[in-house]
Amino acid sequence: MPVTIFLICFPVLVAAGMFFIRSSKVRAWVSYGATGCIIIAVGVLFVQWMMRGAGKIELITEAHTADNLMLGAEVVLMCIVTYLCFKYRKYWVSILSIAPTMLLVYYELRRPSLRHTPYIYIDHLSMLMCLIVGIIGSLIICYAVGYMHGYHQHHKEVEDRRYYFFMILFLFLGAMFGFVLSESLLWIDFFWEITSVCSFLLIGYTRTEEAINNSFRALWMNLLGGCALAVGIVYYAVNAGTVSFHSLIVAGIGHVWYAYIPIALIAFAALTKAAQYPFSTWLLGAMVAPTPSSALLHSATMVKAGIYVLFRLGPAMSLTTTGNMVIFVGGFTFFMASIIAIGQSDAKRVLAFSTVSNLGLMVACAGCGVPETIWAGVLLMVFHAVSKSLLFQDVGATENAIGSRDIEDMHGLMYRVPRLAVFMFIGIAGMFLAPFGMLISKWSALKAAVDESNILFAMFIIFGSATTSFYWTKWMGKLISRSHLTGEMTIDKTKKNEFVSLSIHAVLMIALCVLLPLISGAYVDPLLTEMFGTYQDVLNTKVLVILSVMIAFVFAVPIASYFYFKNHKAEVKLTYMSGINTGDNNGFIDSFGDPKQLWLSNFYFRSFIHPHQLRVISQIVTTAVIIVMEIMVIGGALL
Amino acid sequence: MSLLARILCGLAFVVIAPLCGGLFDGIDRKLSARMQGRVGPSIYQSFYDVRKLFYKKPAVADPMQTFLVASYMILLIMTGTIFFTGNDILMCFFVLSTAMTFLYFAAIISSSPYATIAAGRELVQAVCYEPAVLLTALGFYLATNTFDTAGLTGLDTSLIVYMPGFFIAFVFAMVIKMRKSPFDVSTSHHAHQELVGGVATEMSGRNLAFFHITEWYENVFLFGVISLFFLNNHLWSIPLALAADLVVFFFLVLLDNSSARVKWKNMLGLSWIVTLLTAGVNLFVLMLVHLV
């Protein structure tokens, strides 16, 4: 299937082309064309794969030239990183790039005799990742075209390097495809490094001091993961004589001695990529990059690379020390990040923390490694990708319209900028409100936590879901509250291309919610069968019926009430103010006869949620757990 | 349970629950009055009040409010129906929390300062009781290996024997959920207090009537969960369960009348600690037993 090669190489070629296109019109059309091609290619791949029986497909068994090319590219990449590290005087970061690259170069130049393994591997999970990366990623690029245009009109102080920005975006897409389609661990490591460096370059786009500092933080954290990955891969290759990812998982399930260390190290690498504590700061730092193109690229697609690896490792991690480490770090992150999110009023920061938090839940699901949790995790991942992408774009558009991205300023957004508010509502509801998305995943994960007798996992889900509902619900409430509005409409400045992207996302979100049982049966169940061999239904019929009734309810009640209220008009009264209203719901006359303005605000618990403190505590706890558990695994395997 | 029995139970809940709930409410007021040394209203007073509300001319603070209150009510009836037809109890609690979300919207859409503050506190209350409620569902599952309420009552012994910690946590959650003092932070029963009418401040006429009826449904559902701790496959467990309901009910009324409201911060801390110490420890013990 040459289309797989196309998916990896085409974005890279476009990226190279982008470097030479300096006219923004041409760039826009090339971007639209290229993303269209990518979406079509993903569609073609999907159809071809379905026609071949939607099973496991292994491709390319000989690729010496590609291997050598990649080795060369890896060295070039290392040189670029080292150069930038020296340019910005962050010398020590370069070591994290030089060391793993040198290790891999040394290993490959010894020309080890490896068993022949396929380089490309397609199954349900990698196909799903292709769909997410292809569709969401392409839509993000379309959105970025319009957004970056406006961005450079507003921010004259930032040098217009859009050719460079789009180059990185396309390179990133290509690397993501390569990453999820590769079977050879050496290839996986190569694409992993590219995504790390791409995100580093995207974050540093504006070249402000903050951007540079944050980009280097992202770089060293991701490179640290890369180091662990490289060591794990070489260790495995030397001992097992193969670099096949699946053979590693099989070895892990079979408790072969040389599989423990690579799995622990790769899981560690995945934790850095998935922005779990103590590494969550890189994702939050990534928010300084041009909103929301790169921010959402990180939240909706890139962090999923870490999750993808953990899902793959899931069955091998089940009931091992590594698995427990991953569950703890993920569950703890889910809980702590959701508490910190309560204290935030900046919409983008809430989204960032909720991303970290939700990723934590997925990570914990992967660490548990039983069919129920993988089922829950995969669905969470799909919902999260669509919802986050929608919400980030929407917050960006809202910021353009009302000039602020503070949730307090979104008061009554439903009446001021209705279109954007509805999209926001759909995005948030899809993320946490029953009967959508997260609910059913939580149901399944809780059941599995009890089945596995994992009390910590259960506790983290329970307490974390209470705090998660809190910050989402209060945000939704803010959108529909009406008081202290002046009554004037805000001009909706959303551009057409942004609007198209938003609409597609919203439709996707609703379709996912409605078709959930279908998706689960037709796609996720076979995925689990591939992963575990045998598998029984996670969703039993009863739960399915309840779910369907609720979904029907969510759509039927608004429609019914619309028709009812068309005929039955109730008188609208002013609200009670414990004083005389000033003629509307915006204020009242106090006992001295002076008018008092009314101002409503949400709960933020600022008096006892201190983000900095909580972050430091979380980092200390998770670092300690990771170090101790890694030592246990590695020491246990070596002794 | 056969399908027919399940459907009958569900129907019975929809029809009888508001009657029981209203009566409970009346008895609550009567008991409270007696505890305070008053004569108190008739125990049917709640029904008279609600009937009167239906005759009021419809007036709302926001046209959307009616829809939101209606959604709240329908979702709560759904919660109870799922529960009494013997279905998944965890699902049931999820639907319950969705119903709460709609109540929050119904309160906050009115733009009233009092309803908005109360709605915010209602959310804080949800954060307080949700862990205990979800843990209780997990406890049931761990003790019986099923989430189905139909399967929970088929054991030889009452579940309270295995899950006393969960029981305490659930009663604690109920105090918060039913907005009883000392945890009535999101409401007040007297117009002169800081929050006026809590989340219902801006509800009037039929909407307020629906709100009250929904509360009745909710209370019956919560007492249903309490009964679940006591029911087993012997007939004598039914009067036992009813007696337990009455004891818990009396305890709630007594507590309501003998304690002062705490600050919401104290409520948050206290409820999580109590949940961890009772339900958490109980869960731990049950898991250990399972492993052995």
Side-chain angles (χ1 to χ4, degrees):
Chain A
M1 289 198 288
V3 69
T4 49
I5 314 294
F6 176 83
L7 274 177
I8 301 170
C9 297
F10 176 70
V12 177
L13 290 178
V14 176
M18 276 293 168
F19 188 76
F20 299 105
I21 301 174
R22 301 294 164 108
S23 143
S24 55
K25 267 242 172 71
V26 178
R27 188 183 310 119
W29 286 111
V30 172
S31 303
Y32 292 143
T35 50
C37 287
I38 292 172
I39 290 182
I40 293 170
V42 171
V44 170
L45 178 64
F46 186 70
V47 171
Q48 278 187 349
W49 172 73
M50 290 294 270
M51 279 163 58
R52 284 205 184 177
K56 299 174 187 178
I57 297 175
E58 293 171 346
L59 296 169
I60 311 181
T61 42
E62 284 291 328
H64 275 303
T65 336
D67 270 344
N68 291 336
L69 269 177
M70 275 184 200
L71 201 61
E74 210 153 336
V75 173
V76 173
L77 210 60
M78 178 192 82
C79 294
I80 294 173
V81 171
T82 312
Y83 165 72
L84 286 171
C85 288
F86 276 77
K87 185 176 168 193
Y88 291 103
R89 294 163 200 277
K90 310 263 181 187
Y91 308 111
W92 62 276
V93 179
S94 59
I95 300 169
L96 293 174
S97 176
I98 296 170
T101 314
M102 282 304 148
L103 179 69
L104 284 174
V105 169
Y106 171 72
Y107 172 72
E108 284 198 54
L109 287 184
R110 277 179 52 231
R111 298 253 167 227
S113 56
L114 293 172
R115 272 205 307 275
H116 275 301
T117 48
Y119 284 85
I120 300 274
Y121 186 95
I122 307 172
D123 65 355
H124 278 84
L125 186 57
S126 43
M127 196 60 230
L128 180 68
M129 292 303 295
C130 279
L131 288 172
I132 292 178
V133 172
I135 296 174
I136 307 287
S138 299
L139 286 174
I140 290 168
I141 291 185
C142 283
Y143 176 82
V145 172
Y147 184 85
M148 290 307 286
H149 185 72
Y151 180 83
H152 280 292
Q153 283 177 342
H154 286 298
H155 297 82
K156 294 284 183 212
E157 76 282 359
V158 178
E159 189 193 342
D160 186 351
R161 293 187 296 155
R162 270 181 281 169
Y163 63 92
Y164 170 79
F165 191 77
F166 281 89
M167 181 179 90
I168 310 274
L169 286 186
F170 276 102
L171 188 61
F172 173 84
L173 267 196
M176 278 300 285
F177 280 123
F179 183 74
V180 297
L181 288 170
S182 295
E183 159 73 355
S184 158
L185 284 167
L186 294 171
W187 282 27
I188 287 181
D189 181 76
F190 170 67
F191 290 120
W192 177 284
E193 294 289 310
I194 295 186
T195 57
S196 298
V197 173
C198 280
S199 92
F200 158 67
L201 296 174
L202 280 176
I203 298 169
Y205 177 71
T206 55
R207 284 181 177 160
T208 59
E209 203 185 329
E210 192 192 7
I212 288 169
N213 283 335
N214 288 352
S215 67
F216 273 99
R217 191 184 314 130
L219 184 68
W220 80 254
M221 284 179 176
N222 278 307
L223 286 181
L224 186 68
C227 285
L229 188 68
V231 174
I233 290 170
V234 171
Y235 178 88
Y236 179 68
V238 168
N239 283 300
T242 172
V243 286
S244 149
F245 194 10
H246 282 83
S247 73
L248 170 63
I249 297 159
V250 171
I253 296 171
H255 296 288
V256 181
W257 65 271
Y258 53 71
Y260 288 123
I261 291 179
I263 287 177
L265 289 174
I266 295 174
F268 170 78
L271 290 179
T272 64
K273 200 66 148 186
Q276 297 300 290
Y277 281 118
F279 306 108
S280 66
T281 40
W282 78 257
L283 186 63
L284 298 158
M287 301 295 153
V288 297
T291 354
S293 43
S294 98
L296 81 100
L297 199 64
H298 290 124
S299 283
T301 50
M302 173 162 160
V303 285
K304 302 290 190 295
I307 304 290
Y308 162 79
V309 170
L310 287 172
F311 282 160
R312 277 256 185 264
L313 292 177
M317 288 194 295
S318 178
L319 294 178
T320 63
T321 315
T322 309
N324 284 333
M325 171 185 88
V326 171
I327 291 176
F328 182 87
V329 172
F332 191 77
T333 306
F334 173 53
F335 179 57
M336 290 309 270
S338 69
I339 289 186
I340 297 177
I342 291 177
Q344 308 294 324
S345 70
D346 181 332
K348 226 171 134 187
R349 286 188 76 78
V350 174
L351 290 183
F353 278 109
S354 90
T355 300
V356 173
S357 161
N358 281 310
L359 289 171
L361 187 55
M362 292 174 224
V363 165
C365 281
C368 205
V370 293
E372 282 97 344
T373 54
I374 300 285
W375 182 90
V378 167
L379 283 174
L380 268 177
M381 181 172 76
V382 175
F383 274 98
H384 183 260
V386 179
S387 155
K388 269 297 140 57
S389 180
L390 172 62
L391 283 171
F392 263 114
Q393 299 186 13
D394 199 82
V395 167
T398 308
E399 190 181 356
N400 278 338
I402 64 174
S404 160
R405 54 169 196 251
D406 198 301
I407 292 175
E408 288 300 313
D409 294 328
M410 292 181 191
H411 195 102
L413 198 70
M414 198 59 107
Y415 316 105
R416 292 192 288 157
V417 200
R419 275 200 318 195
L420 295 178
V422 168
F423 285 138
M424 209 178 273
F425 226 79
I426 293 173
I428 298 177
M431 209 50 240
F432 92 102
L433 199 64
F436 304 131
M438 202 155 154
L439 164 102
I440 193 71
S441 301
K442 266 193 311 206
W443 181 87
S444 163
L446 270 176
K447 187 166 172 294
V450 177
D451 285 337
E452 297 298 305
S453 292
N454 199 322
I455 188 162
L456 269 179
F457 187 26
M459 286 294 183
F460 282 137
I461 298 180
I462 282 174
F463 283 91
S465 70
T467 43
T468 304
S469 312
F470 188 81
Y471 67 79
W472 285 129
T473 313
K474 70 183 176 144
W475 184 349
M476 284 173 110
K478 206 74 199 161
L479 301 178
I480 59 169
S481 184
R482 207 190 272 274
S483 63
H484 73 241
L485 290 179
T486 46
E488 65 200 47
M489 290 287 282
T490 311
I491 303 156
D492 191 347
K493 290 180 192 149
T494 317
K495 294 214 177 53
K496 210 167 221 154
N497 47 8
E498 290 175 306
F499 187 70
V500 168
S501 174
L502 281 168
S503 310
I504 295 175
H505 276 93
V507 171
L508 259 179
M509 188 86 243
I510 295 172
L512 275 180
C513 292
V514 176
L515 300 178
L516 178 97
L518 208 71
I519 296 168
S520 158
Y523 201 96
V524 186
D525 290 357
L527 187 155
L528 295 175
T529 320
E530 261 168 16
M531 212 178 243
F532 293 94
T534 57
Y535 161 75
Q536 80 272 21
D537 262 348
V538 172
L539 267 187
N540 62 41
T541 343
K542 273 183 218 149
V543 175
L544 211 61
V545 169
I546 297 171
L547 208 64
S548 313
V549 171
M550 279 189 78
I551 289 172
F553 160 83
V554 168
F555 289 98
V557 173
I559 296 169
S561 59
Y562 171 76
F563 283 110
Y564 180 80
F565 292 117
K566 250 171 98 176
N567 305 323
H568 297 74
K569 287 264 182 284
E571 192 184 343
V572 177
K573 294 264 194 203
L574 290 177
T575 57
Y576 174 71
M577 297 268 179
S578 194
I580 306 164
N581 296 48
T582 49
D584 48 25
N585 284 338
N586 292 340
F588 61 93
I589 312 283
D590 68 8
S591 50
F592 293 101
D594 301 326
K596 278 264 153 50
Q597 183 68 28
L598 174 69
W599 200 262
L600 298 175
S601 171
N602 269 345
F603 277 73
Y604 289 102
F605 296 168
R606 292 245 162 81
S607 56
F608 63 91
I609 292 183
H610 305 291
H612 178 71
Q613 245 173 16
L614 287 176
R615 196 194 76 215
V616 172
I617 294 170
S618 314
Q619 284 177 331
I620 292 172
V621 171
T622 45
T623 311
V625 167
I626 289 177
I627 291 177
V628 170
M629 298 284 231
E630 289 282 346
I631 288 176
M632 273 165 70
V633 175
I634 296 172
L638 289 179
L639 286 175
Chain B
M1 266 206 297
S2 69
L3 189 65
L4 188 69
R6 279 166 185 250
I7 292 172
L8 282 179
C9 278
L11 279 178
F13 169 75
V14 176
V15 179
I16 299 173
L19 302 177
C20 294
L23 209 60
F24 262 128
D25 199 35
I27 298 170
D28 184 344
R29 287 161 77 171
K30 189 83 179 173
L31 258 178
S32 297
R34 286 294 156 87
M35 284 175 186
Q36 295 162 6
R38 293 184 284 119
V39 177
S42 142
I43 58 167
Y44 305 111
Q45 189 60 40
S46 303
F47 295 112
Y48 304 146
D49 290 351
V50 163
R51 193 185 58 186
K52 195 180 77 183
L53 287 173
F54 274 107
Y55 290 117
K56 296 263 185 189
K57 190 176 150 207
V60 290
D62 189 287
M64 283 291 282
Q65 202 179 41
T66 316
F67 149 62
L68 292 168
V69 173
S71 299
Y72 168 53
M73 181 158 109
I74 295 171
L75 280 170
L76 234 147
I77 295 176
M78 206 191 276
T79 310
T81 321
I82 296 170
F83 181 81
F84 283 98
T85 47
N87 283 308
D88 194 300
I89 191 165
L90 189 54
M91 246 357 220
C92 212
F93 288 141
F94 283 141
V95 183
L96 183 71
S97 64
T98 311
M100 199 285 300
T101 313
F102 275 91
L103 177 64
Y104 175 78
F105 292 154
I108 212 162
I109 203 168
S110 66
S111 317
S112 147
Y114 298 101
T116 304
I117 296 170
R121 292 191 182 181
E122 187 77 19
L123 266 192
V124 178
Q125 287 193 342
V127 176
C128 296
Y129 65 71
E130 218 170 80
V133 167
L134 289 182
L135 272 172
T136 307
L138 282 197
F140 281 131
Y141 178 67
L142 207 53
T144 61
N145 231 355
T146 174
F147 279 121
D148 288 354
T149 50
L152 297 178
T153 52
L155 266 71
D156 231 12
T157 44
S158 294
L159 284 170
I160 182 83
V161 180
Y162 305 111
M163 26 192 318
F166 291 104
F167 182 73
I168 297 170
F170 191 79
V171 172
F172 198 91
M174 246 172 105
V175 182
I176 303 173
K177 180 82 198 158
M178 290 171 70
R179 307 184 196 99
K180 293 283 185 202
S181 196
F183 304 125
D184 53 345
V185 296
S186 81
T187 191
S188 70
H189 303 293
H190 308 285
H192 60 82
Q193 286 179 341
E194 63 190 289
L195 287 178
V196 193
V199 282
T201 306
E202 295 302 331
M203 294 177 195
S204 67
R206 233 179 5 209
N207 284 351
L208 189 58
F210 283 141
F211 172 74
H212 282 311
I213 296 174
T214 312
E215 275 197 315
W216 297 346
Y217 272 115
E218 185 178 68
N219 293 349
V220 171
F221 161 69
L222 292 173
F223 280 109
V225 179
I226 292 286
S227 312
L228 216 50
F229 281 95
F230 295 92
L231 287 175
N232 54 37
N233 59 6
H234 302 291
L235 267 183
W236 54 259
S237 69
I238 294 174
L240 176 72
L242 288 176
D245 284 346
L246 287 178
V247 171
V248 171
F249 175 70
F250 184 78
F251 167 73
L252 290 178
V253 177
L254 185 66
L255 190 69
D256 193 22
N257 282 296
S258 58
S259 56
R261 180 184 301 169
V262 297
K263 287 179 182 163
W264 60 263
K265 271 185 209 167
N266 300 353
M267 174 178 77
L268 190 60
L270 195 63
S271 62
W272 277 26
I273 289 169
V274 169
T275 305
L276 275 176
L277 288 184
T278 55
V281 170
N282 202 160
L283 186 73
F284 188 59
V285 171
L286 277 184
M287 276 186 176
L288 280 184
V289 172
H290 250 242
L291 286 178
V292 175

